[in-house]
Amino acid sequence: MIVIMKQNATKEQVNAVIKRVKEEGLEVHLSEGKEQTIIGLVGDTEKMIDVPFRGFDGVSDTVRITSSYKLTSREFHPTDTVVDVDGLKIGGEENFVTMAGPCSIEGLDQIMECARIAKAGGATVLRGGAFKPRTSPYAFQGLEEEGLKYIRQAADKFDMKVITEVMDEANLELVAKYTDILQIGARNMQNFKLLTAVGKTGLPVALKRGISGTIDEWLNAAEYIAAQGNQKVIFVERGIRTYETATRNTLDLSAVPVIQKLSHFPIIVDPSHGVGVWDYVTPMAVAGIASGASGMIVEIHPNPSQAWSDGQQSLNEKRYMNMMEQIHVMEKAMKEVKLIREKI
Amino acid sequence: MIVIMKQNATKEQVNAVIKRVKEEGLEVHLSEGKEQTIIGLVGDTEKMIDVPFRGFDGVSDTVRITSSYKLTSREFHPTDTVVDVDGLKIGGEENFVTMAGPCSIEGLDQIMECARIAKAGGATVLRGGAFKPRTSPYAFQGLEEEGLKYIRQAADKFDMKVITEVMDEANLELVAKYTDILQIGARNMQNFKLLTAVGKTGLPVALKRGISGTIDEWLNAAEYIAAQGNQKVIFVERGIRTYETATRNTLDLSAVPVIQKLSHFPIIVDPSHGVGVWDYVTPMAVAGIASGASGMIVEIHPNPSQAWSDGQQSLNEKRYMNMMEQIHVMEKAMKEVKLIREKI
Amino acid sequence: MIVIMKQNATKEQVNAVIKRVKEEGLEVHLSEGKEQTIIGLVGDTEKMIDVPFRGFDGVSDTVRITSSYKLTSREFHPTDTVVDVDGLKIGGEENFVTMAGPCSIEGLDQIMECARIAKAGGATVLRGGAFKPRTSPYAFQGLEEEGLKYIRQAADKFDMKVITEVMDEANLELVAKYTDILQIGARNMQNFKLLTAVGKTGLPVALKRGISGTIDEWLNAAEYIAAQGNQKVIFVERGIRTYETATRNTLDLSAVPVIQKLSHFPIIVDPSHGVGVWDYVTPMAVAGIASGASGMIVEIHPNPSQAWSDGQQSLNEKRYMNMMEQIHVMEKAMKEVKLIREKI
Amino acid sequence: MIVIMKQNATKEQVNAVIKRVKEEGLEVHLSEGKEQTIIGLVGDTEKMIDVPFRGFDGVSDTVRITSSYKLTSREFHPTDTVVDVDGLKIGGEENFVTMAGPCSIEGLDQIMECARIAKAGGATVLRGGAFKPRTSPYAFQGLEEEGLKYIRQAADKFDMKVITEVMDEANLELVAKYTDILQIGARNMQNFKLLTAVGKTGLPVALKRGISGTIDEWLNAAEYIAAQGNQKVIFVERGIRTYETATRNTLDLSAVPVIQKLSHFPIIVDPSHGVGVWDYVTPMAVAGIASGASGMIVEIHPNPSQAWSDGQQSLNEKRYMNMMEQIHVMEKAMKEVKLIREKI
């Protein structure tokens, strides 16, 4: 960490900073240039992140050199982490995964039919919500435990894994009983108590990016999970909130190479929430694979016009099967692309 | 609710929409103009909000006529709600409130000293966090119950009320034992389980706007609380996330008149989080009162350079006392302004 | 266009709207439902877009049914427009184009070397700025006419086309003398006088999306060009401004399918400005092609560390050649993908 | 300027940076700490802003110490600049200004009536557009020179100054003939050719903040004007583009104290464009004055429902007169507030 003084900072102002640093048992490395004085902090700088140097007189700026996340960072673990979901591998060079299913579990028949379609297209993980975070308290909130039972049954029948959202600590034990992957929704990316709790379960966690989460916050959210000894984090890019209204969110595919540079955990994309209308889901799924993502999670429904939620962004069977055909072409192409990339 | 068809929509497409509406037991009011066909829904349209008409062929757009929040809306309760905190009134024409205190409770002496300063300036509510949501898992997370005891003690000594954040349902009972107002932080604005839980306590709830919460989402979040029979909601505008980095957030003061038009619950402003550096706090507090807010919540610290968190945005005693002198001028001016406004 | 009245709108308020509509010679189609009254406008609604119905008492909202752009819309011209740049085809099913070159033209040797590299990798259009829009008045502003001569010379030698930015009407004639494609920069997307002027030249125009331009504004900007009888517009997605700082901008690849649905003009992507650091350029170029774009524009430099501008986002020869190898794999894959897409 | 190396940067990487710095004739001040190496640049660092150090291997970040704007900065000119518009003073301690008038000049009668109303309420500058930047090419584009003649005539009759927008260099001479203050619209904040041209006129320039302009870009835009020897810049905060749709833009009142800290030029606010609907204009005008602004610019119309543009955000006579009564209370209160502020 370094503290940059203003050009006209006085000797007293510089000393006030140094004094504060030494109070915490750290040393300083002073660099007095012509234009500015820079104070480098030497020692356990983690103790200093809450010291409000920017509020000190004469201070222009502070710069962190090291990231606040450790276990999540690529430096800590230089090779790609492959998350093992009971034998299913996510991440690493050649392990593309497709997770598919409805927004909400609506009944046993519906989720069974979704599982059949999902599997037929090549998905290996079945998604579906039993607890739904809804903007309005009067909207459908999910079938809860009943729904969890149905999705487990459907996944088992088609030899798939289950991913479903856990919204609060109170229901964590219940959800964990039925699912293979715990999903943390966008609204909970910084629900730190919940992150700590899912970290403790040791189960794989799919961590959605917050509605307006920065990549730095997202990496720190993963750190809450990893700090509990859980190294099974999967990042899910699902679009961020911007001023543009032509799409529901703005799917930030550049997050894929950025996360891959900064962290060793795999990242997948969610084109359904990213765009919010079904006609744009397929092109963005294809682009998502091409951005280098380790897979995707997509909403399907046997009859989208009857869906209880998110119907406008769900693919029907025909569209999903067609998309998956494209995805397989893209997965093949990406293997070739990666070989070329390695030559440099 | 109305469904607007595309200009070239076919008869079959129109009929598909009508059929779907009737399946739910509603009626339609069809308006076939030259340029477009519009389908008005008649009956309990609340049942229809999850029907994905925008995904139907031939549909151009849907428009909600009624808001999804009811108890929170000005139509439901045309006069201002005055929230009574054990005798202290917040909201309505002349009840300006100032809540002041440190970001974190750091110890008994610190919170006592904060209470003394806060009260001297005219604040009637003492703020201070015992559970702190922090971006990094390695940052200070609060003194927890110990902190709650200290703030209660300090407030009692200076005859003030307490406001403090509750981060999760698990600690709600504990926090409720010590506080007069429950604060829901920005990261939890859409933690729907928590909103429901605080709604059930019947305690006054200060609901911060989410980091990128829309006003519509915020009103719906309040509805989660009100739907539990709790009519003691206080909105807190604390700045939204934008591209601008000169300030920590962008304090959206226009939210004050917008909320006042759409809802009957009072709104106060938080200039400290809104700007994030102490030199801009005072002008924005003054502007906040002038925007028509019912009060403010502000961070102070006896010695900001030693604060354990948010020191760069905390006011010291001298600056706080000076600001409060300005605030009192503004409160007087706003009474005059409101009298003028009533003439129209 | 329709005007939606509030639920409690009075007869007088409805009549005031109707009166205003009739003043302009249009008719109304009145739909009085139980919940709300809706007024459909019949006739030349274009005349009504400036009437401030939302400021009328009793009005809840207005909804446009038709877009304000006409010549740019897919309805006006259902098949893809292929822009012909002196024999080079951009747009349509199989015409991928790569435009490559330095940010600024720095001299004859530099642009010659850039042309050699660009051509070797497969680019057919040479980019390079002679007039540079710079945030600071003290930064390098371009070689002006001298630069234009150099880029023309370099492109001719390697049998390439030229694309270069025109910043103002005053220099339009000069720039048009040397270039094949006129580039409108992001800061000028809504410089309406300039759009009209480039429209009049009849030359192909590459129209960059504004720094925070909505897709609707972008389509209307194209309409300014098309309204002059110029049907040679190429959209360039170059990233939008969001709160995220890990990348220079947020490259919005979903703009590709959205534009393709709403307009017949081709769209290409600019990964260099989209991400702003060279290590992310290649993955986003690959993803851009996979999103369905008709090509890309990319910054290269023989020696990025010596570049006079944008060096941190420029690819050197080795990286560019490697990227182009990946791009060619992707172009082949996309042909296959499009064949699959047509089956539905 | 300082260059911060990564923790694992090699000696060679450090040397590459130093070599590049010395090539430009600058010296380095090397600070090799335990955690990181920092390279301070000594000399004319302005030459280095285009050197892409962030693209160099081993470089973590670069930090500018000095701002790129000079003449605009508070350091260059520590006291407030008072802009003299032919005797009318804008800026400084007690010179509140109100500029009022219609969005568009629609005819002589309309602008005369606007001038009468504006003056009656206390405005001293008459606003009105003769050249209108419109999203659609088919919307009303202004009366051009005819409109300029009308506004001059109206202002002269009521002894007011004129402010009107200039959209391009081609019409600058024409506009300058009729106006006292040249307005640069939001879409032209970074039209650098136009900024340079208006700088050369020596006339006062009201520089609106760009639709998504950062404060840093805005200060640099002012620098383009000031660099021509024109020290008569007035900043106009008019709202920025965010995700929120309840208001047309988000009026960023914190820009007022930020600009006042960083620059000596006055800043006024535009609540009309800031919120976009007339019912929120008055509270935001009042809050704007309370934020410390030197005045405001507001849209009025004798009959908003007949306005040719921006009618929904224009105040009628009664509302404007009522607002100005509130503004005068606020101006008085702010004098008191400033006296209190000086005590610290």
Side-chain angles (χ1 to χ4, degrees):
Chain A
M1 188 185 203
I2 62 176
V3 178
I4 302 165
M5 304 301 296
K6 286 182 186 158
Q7 289 187 272
N8 56 4
T10 64
K11 194 72 202 155
E12 285 69 35
Q13 291 169 339
V14 172
N15 286 341
V17 172
I18 296 174
K19 183 164 167 290
R20 188 72 187 77
V21 173
K22 297 199 168 170
E23 278 172 21
E24 302 285 337
L26 282 80
E27 285 304 312
V28 302
H29 183 283
L30 197 65
S31 160
E32 291 175 289
K34 239 183 208 158
E35 272 193 57
Q36 71 278 330
T37 295
I38 295 162
I39 304 168
L41 274 56
V42 183
D44 179 8
T45 54
E46 217 48 56
K47 294 162 73 173
M48 306 302 287
I49 57 173
D50 285 329
V51 179
F53 287 119
R54 294 186 71 172
F56 278 49
D57 291 328
V59 169
S60 161
D61 210 352
T62 60
V63 182
R64 284 196 67 137
I65 310 295
T66 52
S67 61
S68 50
Y69 51 90
K70 306 291 170 201
L71 309 171
T72 300
S73 78
R74 181 66 81 175
E75 274 111 67
F76 172 77
H77 190 293
T79 59
D80 290 351
T81 283
V82 177
V83 173
D84 188 317
V85 184
D86 242 329
L88 173 75
K89 312 264 195 236
I90 302 176
E93 275 317 284
E94 305 221 344
N95 302 303
F96 294 102
V97 69
T98 296
M99 308 181 180
C103 174
S104 301
I105 304 160
E106 299 167 9
L108 183 58
D109 288 355
Q110 175 246 24
I111 191 73
M112 277 288 176
E113 179 63 0
C114 285
R116 182 192 62 74
I117 298 170
K119 186 63 183 277
T124 49
V125 181
L126 182 63
R127 63 153 289 157
F131 294 92
K132 302 299 303 173
R134 303 304 299 272
T135 300
S136 162
Y138 309 120
F140 174 59
Q141 312 266 331
L143 291 184
E144 310 202 344
E145 185 165 12
E146 193 191 344
L148 294 171
K149 284 180 183 161
Y150 295 156
I151 194 172
R152 183 74 266 166
Q153 212 177 321
D156 286 348
K157 175 159 179 202
F158 291 93
D159 191 25
M160 298 176 80
K161 308 295 175 197
V162 168
I163 179 171
T164 197
E165 179 168 353
V166 57
M167 276 177 65
D168 58 346
E169 223 180 319
N171 287 302
L172 174 54
E173 206 179 338
L174 178 69
V175 176
K177 208 162 71 182
Y178 294 98
T179 198
D180 300 300
I181 306 174
L182 291 163
Q183 178 182 310
I184 297 294
R187 288 172 191 77
N188 277 324
M189 186 192 85
Q190 292 198 309
N191 183 335
F192 301 118
K193 298 282 184 189
L194 182 59
L195 295 175
T196 303
V198 299
K200 284 180 182 151
T201 64
L203 280 176
V205 180
L207 177 64
K208 289 209 163 185
R209 185 173 181 183
I211 289 175
S212 65
T214 65
I215 288 179
D216 191 69
E217 288 170 347
W218 198 12
L219 290 160
N220 275 288
E223 189 77 6
Y224 268 90
I225 299 165
Q228 303 302 324
N230 187 337
Q231 291 282 317
K232 296 188 163 185
V233 177
I234 303 156
F235 289 103
V236 185
E237 164 60 35
R238 46 78 72 196
I240 58 173
R241 181 162 281 173
T242 69
Y243 64 83
E244 179 58 66
T245 57
T247 44
R248 181 173 175 180
N249 293 294
T250 297
L251 189 67
D252 177 14
L253 289 183
S254 60
V256 174
V258 173
I259 284 287
Q260 286 171 341
K261 188 180 177 190
L262 300 176
S263 179
H264 53 94
F265 290 129
I267 176 168
I268 66 172
V269 298
D270 173 352
S272 307
H273 287 86
V275 296
V277 271
W278 65 262
D279 13 0
Y280 304 138
V281 169
T282 294
M284 294 316 284
V286 170
I289 295 301
S291 73
S294 293
M296 64 162 166
I297 180 163
V298 68
E299 288 186 353
I300 61 172
H301 197 282
N303 189 351
S305 70
Q306 300 286 340
W308 296 4
S309 58
D310 276 358
Q312 79 288 345
Q313 71 192 30
S314 298
L315 299 178
N316 62 20
E317 178 166 4
K318 204 173 78 179
R319 288 175 189 136
Y320 166 71
M321 294 302 287
N322 186 274
M323 176 188 75
M324 289 306 290
E325 217 182 310
Q326 299 171 40
I327 292 297
H328 298 320
V329 170
M330 206 37 65
E331 288 175 354
K332 238 179 70 188
M334 283 307 290
K335 287 184 190 175
E336 237 182 291
V337 160
K338 283 175 186 172
L339 287 177
I340 298 169
R341 226 168 257 180
E342 275 167 21
K343 294 195 292 187
I344 206 163
Chain B
M1 190 185 202
I2 62 177
V3 177
I4 302 166
M5 304 301 296
K6 286 182 186 158
Q7 288 188 272
N8 56 2
T10 63
K11 192 74 202 154
E12 285 67 38
Q13 291 169 341
V14 172
N15 286 341
V17 172
I18 295 174
K19 184 164 167 289
R20 188 73 186 78
V21 174
K22 294 198 168 171
E23 279 172 22
E24 302 286 337
L26 281 82
E27 286 304 312
V28 301
H29 183 283
L30 197 66
S31 159
E32 290 175 289
K34 240 183 208 158
E35 271 194 56
Q36 70 278 329
T37 295
I38 296 162
I39 303 168
L41 276 55
V42 182
D44 180 9
T45 54
E46 217 47 56
K47 294 161 74 174
M48 307 303 287
I49 56 173
D50 285 328
V51 179
F53 288 118
R54 295 185 71 171
F56 278 48
D57 291 327
V59 169
S60 161
D61 209 353
T62 60
V63 183
R64 282 196 68 138
I65 309 293
T66 52
S67 62
S68 51
Y69 51 90
K70 306 292 171 199
L71 309 172
T72 300
S73 78
R74 181 63 83 175
E75 275 112 65
F76 173 75
H77 191 292
T79 60
D80 290 353
T81 284
V82 177
V83 174
D84 187 318
V85 184
D86 241 330
L88 174 74
K89 313 265 194 234
I90 301 176
E93 275 317 283
E94 305 222 345
N95 302 303
F96 293 102
V97 67
T98 296
M99 308 180 180
C103 174
S104 302
I105 305 160
E106 299 167 8
L108 184 58
D109 288 356
Q110 175 246 23
I111 191 72
M112 277 287 177
E113 180 64 358
C114 285
R116 181 193 63 73
I117 297 169
K119 185 63 183 276
T124 49
V125 181
L126 182 63
R127 65 152 288 156
F131 294 92
K132 300 300 304 172
R134 303 303 301 271
T135 299
S136 163
Y138 310 120
F140 172 60
Q141 312 264 331
L143 291 184
E144 310 202 345
E145 184 165 11
E146 194 192 342
L148 293 171
K149 284 181 184 163
Y150 295 157
I151 193 172
R152 183 73 264 169
Q153 211 177 320
D156 287 348
K157 175 158 178 200
F158 291 92
D159 190 25
M160 298 177 81
K161 308 296 176 195
V162 168
I163 180 172
T164 198
E165 179 168 353
V166 57
M167 277 177 66
D168 59 347
E169 221 180 320
N171 286 301
L172 174 55
E173 206 180 338
L174 178 69
V175 175
K177 208 161 71 181
Y178 294 99
T179 197
D180 301 298
I181 305 174
L182 291 163
Q183 179 181 309
I184 298 293
R187 288 171 191 78
N188 277 324
M189 185 193 85
Q190 292 198 307
N191 183 333
F192 301 119
K193 299 281 185 192
L194 183 57
L195 295 176
T196 302
V198 298
K200 285 181 181 150
T201 65
L203 279 176
V205 180
L207 178 63
K208 288 207 165 189
R209 185 173 180 183
I211 288 174
S212 66
T214 65
I215 288 178
D216 190 68
E217 289 170 346
W218 199 11
L219 290 161
N220 274 288
E223 189 76 6
Y224 268 91
I225 299 166
Q228 303 301 325
N230 187 336
Q231 292 281 317
K232 296 188 163 182
V233 176
I234 302 156
F235 289 103
V236 185
E237 164 61 36
R238 47 74 76 195
I240 58 173
R241 181 162 281 174
T242 69
Y243 64 84
E244 179 59 65
T245 57
T247 43
R248 181 172 176 181
N249 292 295
T250 298
L251 189 66
D252 178 12
L253 289 184
S254 60
V256 174
V258 173
I259 285 287
Q260 287 171 339
K261 188 180 176 188
L262 300 176
S263 179
H264 54 95
F265 290 129
I267 176 168
I268 66 172
V269 298
D270 173 352
S272 307
H273 288 86
V275 296
V277 272
W278 65 261
D279 13 1
Y280 305 138
V281 170
T282 294
M284 293 316 283
V286 169
I289 295 302
S291 74
S294 294
M296 65 162 168
I297 180 163
V298 68
E299 288 187 354
I300 61 173
H301 197 282
N303 190 353
S305 70
Q306 300 286 339
W308 295 4
S309 58
D310 277 358
Q312 81 286 346
Q313 69 192 31
S314 298
L315 299 179
N316 63 18
E317 178 166 5
K318 203 173 79 180
R319 287 176 190 137
Y320 166 71
M321 293 303 286
N322 187 273
M323 177 189 73
M324 288 306 289
E325 214 180 315
Q326 299 171 39
I327 292 296
H328 298 320
V329 170
M330 207 35 69
E331 288 175 351
K332 236 179 71 190
M334 283 307 289
K335 287 184 190 174
E336 237 180 293
V337 160
K338 283 174 184 172
L339 287 177
I340 297 170
R341 227 167 256 181
E342 276 168 20
K343 292 196 292 186
I344 206 163
Chain C
M1 189 185 202
I2 61 176
V3 178
I4 302 166
M5 304 301 295
K6 286 182 187 157
Q7 289 188 272
N8 56 3
T10 64
K11 192 74 200 153
E12 285 67 38
Q13 290 169 339
V14 172
N15 286 340
V17 172
I18 295 174
K19 183 163 167 292
R20 188 73 188 78
V21 173
K22 295 199 168 170
E23 278 172 22
E24 301 285 338
L26 281 82
E27 285 304 312
V28 302
H29 183 284
L30 196 66
S31 161
E32 291 176 286
K34 239 183 209 158
E35 271 193 57
Q36 70 278 330
T37 294
I38 296 162
I39 303 169
L41 274 56
V42 183
D44 180 10
T45 54
E46 218 46 57
K47 294 161 74 174
M48 307 302 289
I49 57 174
D50 285 329
V51 179
F53 289 118
R54 293 185 73 171
F56 278 48
D57 291 328
V59 169
S60 161
D61 210 352
T62 60
V63 183
R64 282 196 69 137
I65 309 294
T66 53
S67 62
S68 51
Y69 50 90
K70 307 290 171 200
L71 308 170
T72 300
S73 78
R74 181 64 82 176
E75 274 111 67
F76 173 76
H77 190 293
T79 60
D80 289 353
T81 283
V82 177
V83 174
D84 186 318
V85 185
D86 243 329
L88 174 73
K89 313 267 194 232
I90 301 176
E93 274 316 284
E94 303 222 345
N95 302 302
F96 294 101
V97 68
T98 296
M99 309 180 180
C103 174
S104 302
I105 305 160
E106 299 167 8
L108 184 57
D109 289 355
Q110 175 245 23
I111 191 72
M112 277 288 178
E113 180 63 358
C114 285
R116 182 191 63 73
I117 297 169
K119 186 63 183 274
T124 50
V125 181
L126 183 62
R127 64 152 289 157
F131 295 93
K132 301 299 305 171
R134 303 304 300 271
T135 299
S136 163
Y138 310 120
F140 173 60
Q141 311 267 329
L143 291 183
E144 309 202 346
E145 184 165 11
E146 193 191 345
L148 293 172
K149 285 180 183 162
Y150 295 157
I151 193 171
R152 183 74 266 168
Q153 212 176 319
D156 286 348
K157 177 161 177 199
F158 290 94
D159 192 25
M160 298 177 79
K161 309 296 176 196
V162 168
I163 179 171
T164 197
E165 178 167 354
V166 57
M167 275 177 65
D168 58 347
E169 223 179 318
N171 286 302
L172 174 54
E173 207 179 337
L174 179 69
V175 175
K177 209 162 68 181
Y178 294 99
T179 198
D180 301 299
I181 304 173
L182 291 163
Q183 179 181 310
I184 298 293
R187 288 171 192 78
N188 278 324
M189 186 192 84
Q190 292 198 309
N191 184 333
F192 301 118
K193 300 281 184 190
L194 183 59
L195 295 175
T196 302
V198 299
K200 285 182 180 149
T201 64
L203 280 175
V205 180
L207 177 64
K208 289 208 165 185
R209 184 173 181 183
I211 290 174
S212 66
T214 65
I215 288 179
D216 190 69
E217 288 170 346
W218 199 11
L219 290 161
N220 274 289
E223 189 76 6
Y224 267 91
I225 299 165
Q228 302 302 323
N230 188 335
Q231 292 280 316
K232 296 188 162 183
V233 176
I234 302 155
F235 289 104
V236 185
E237 163 62 36
R238 46 76 74 195
I240 58 173
R241 180 162 282 173
T242 69
Y243 64 84
E244 179 58 67
T245 57
T247 44
R248 182 173 175 181
N249 292 295
T250 298
L251 190 66
D252 177 14
L253 289 183
S254 60
V256 174
V258 173
I259 284 287
Q260 287 171 339
K261 188 181 178 190
L262 299 177
S263 179
H264 53 95
F265 290 129
I267 176 167
I268 65 173
V269 298
D270 173 352
S272 307
H273 287 87
V275 297
V277 272
W278 66 260
D279 13 359
Y280 305 137
V281 170
T282 294
M284 292 317 283
V286 170
I289 295 303
S291 73
S294 293
M296 66 162 166
I297 180 164
V298 68
E299 288 187 353
I300 62 172
H301 198 282
N303 190 352
S305 71
Q306 299 286 338
W308 295 4
S309 57
D310 276 357
Q312 80 287 345
Q313 71 192 32
S314 297
L315 299 178
N316 63 19
E317 179 167 3
K318 204 173 77 180
R319 287 175 190 136
Y320 166 72
M321 295 301 287
N322 186 274
M323 177 189 72
M324 289 306 289
E325 215 181 314
Q326 300 170 39
I327 293 296
H328 298 320
V329 170
M330 208 34 69
E331 288 175 351
K332 236 179 70 190
M334 283 308 288
K335 287 183 191 175
E336 236 181 294
V337 160
K338 282 173 186 174
L339 287 177
I340 297 168
R341 228 168 256 181
E342 275 166 22
K343 294 196 291 186
I344 206 165
Chain D
M1 187 184 203
I2 62 177
V3 177
I4 302 165
M5 304 301 295
K6 286 182 187 158
Q7 288 188 274
N8 56 2
T10 64
K11 192 75 201 154
E12 286 67 36
Q13 291 170 339
V14 173
N15 286 340
V17 171
I18 295 173
K19 183 163 166 292
R20 189 71 188 79
V21 173
K22 296 198 167 169
E23 277 172 24
E24 303 285 337
L26 281 80
E27 285 304 313
V28 302
H29 183 283
L30 197 65
S31 160
E32 293 176 288
K34 239 182 209 159
E35 272 192 57
Q36 71 278 328
T37 295
I38 295 163
I39 304 169
L41 275 56
V42 183
D44 179 10
T45 55
E46 217 48 56
K47 296 162 72 174
M48 307 303 286
I49 58 173
D50 285 328
V51 179
F53 288 118
R54 294 186 71 171
F56 278 49
D57 291 327
V59 169
S60 161
D61 210 351
T62 60
V63 183
R64 283 197 67 138
I65 309 293
T66 53
S67 61
S68 52
Y69 52 90
K70 305 291 170 200
L71 309 171
T72 300
S73 78
R74 181 65 82 175
E75 275 110 65
F76 173 76
H77 190 293
T79 60
D80 289 352
T81 283
V82 176
V83 174
D84 187 317
V85 184
D86 242 330
L88 174 75
K89 313 263 195 238
I90 301 176
E93 274 316 285
E94 305 222 345
N95 302 304
F96 294 102
V97 67
T98 298
M99 309 180 180
C103 174
S104 302
I105 304 161
E106 299 168 9
L108 185 57
D109 288 356
Q110 176 245 22
I111 191 72
M112 276 289 176
E113 179 62 359
C114 285
R116 181 192 64 74
I117 298 169
K119 186 62 183 274
T124 50
V125 181
L126 183 62
R127 64 153 288 158
F131 295 93
K132 301 299 306 172
R134 303 305 299 272
T135 300
S136 163
Y138 309 120
F140 173 60
Q141 311 265 329
L143 291 184
E144 310 203 345
E145 186 166 10
E146 194 192 344
L148 293 172
K149 283 181 184 162
Y150 294 156
I151 194 172
R152 183 73 266 166
Q153 212 176 319
D156 286 348
K157 176 158 176 199
F158 290 93
D159 192 25
M160 299 176 79
K161 309 295 176 196
V162 169
I163 179 170
T164 197
E165 179 167 354
V166 57
M167 275 177 65
D168 58 348
E169 223 180 317
N171 286 302
L172 174 54
E173 207 179 336
L174 178 69
V175 175
K177 210 162 68 181
Y178 294 98
T179 198
D180 301 299
I181 305 173
L182 291 162
Q183 179 182 311
I184 298 292
R187 288 172 192 77
N188 278 323
M189 187 192 84
Q190 291 197 307
N191 184 333
F192 302 119
K193 299 281 183 189
L194 183 59
L195 295 176
T196 302
V198 299
K200 284 180 182 152
T201 65
L203 279 175
V205 180
L207 177 64
K208 288 207 165 186
R209 184 173 181 182
I211 289 174
S212 65
T214 65
I215 288 178
D216 191 69
E217 288 170 347
W218 199 12
L219 291 161
N220 275 289
E223 190 76 7
Y224 267 90
I225 298 165
Q228 303 302 324
N230 187 338
Q231 291 282 317
K232 295 186 163 185
V233 176
I234 302 156
F235 290 103
V236 185
E237 163 61 35
R238 47 76 74 196
I240 58 174
R241 182 161 281 174
T242 69
Y243 65 83
E244 179 59 65
T245 57
T247 45
R248 182 173 175 181
N249 293 294
T250 298
L251 189 67
D252 178 13
L253 289 183
S254 61
V256 174
V258 173
I259 284 287
Q260 287 171 340
K261 187 180 178 190
L262 300 175
S263 179
H264 53 94
F265 290 129
I267 177 168
I268 65 172
V269 297
D270 174 352
S272 307
H273 287 86
V275 295
V277 271
W278 64 261
D279 15 359
Y280 305 137
V281 170
T282 294
M284 293 316 283
V286 169
I289 295 302
S291 74
S294 294
M296 64 162 166
I297 181 165
V298 68
E299 288 187 352
I300 61 172
H301 198 283
N303 189 352
S305 71
Q306 299 287 339
W308 296 4
S309 59
D310 276 358
Q312 79 288 346
Q313 71 193 31
S314 298
L315 299 179
N316 63 18
E317 180 167 2
K318 204 173 79 179
R319 287 175 190 137
Y320 167 70
M321 294 301 289
N322 186 274
M323 176 188 74
M324 289 306 290
E325 216 181 312
Q326 299 171 39
I327 293 297
H328 298 319
V329 170
M330 206 38 67
E331 288 175 353
K332 237 179 71 189
M334 284 307 289
K335 288 184 191 175
E336 237 181 294
V337 160
K338 283 173 185 173
L339 287 177
I340 297 170
R341 229 168 255 180
E342 276 166 22
K343 293 195 293 187
I344 206 163

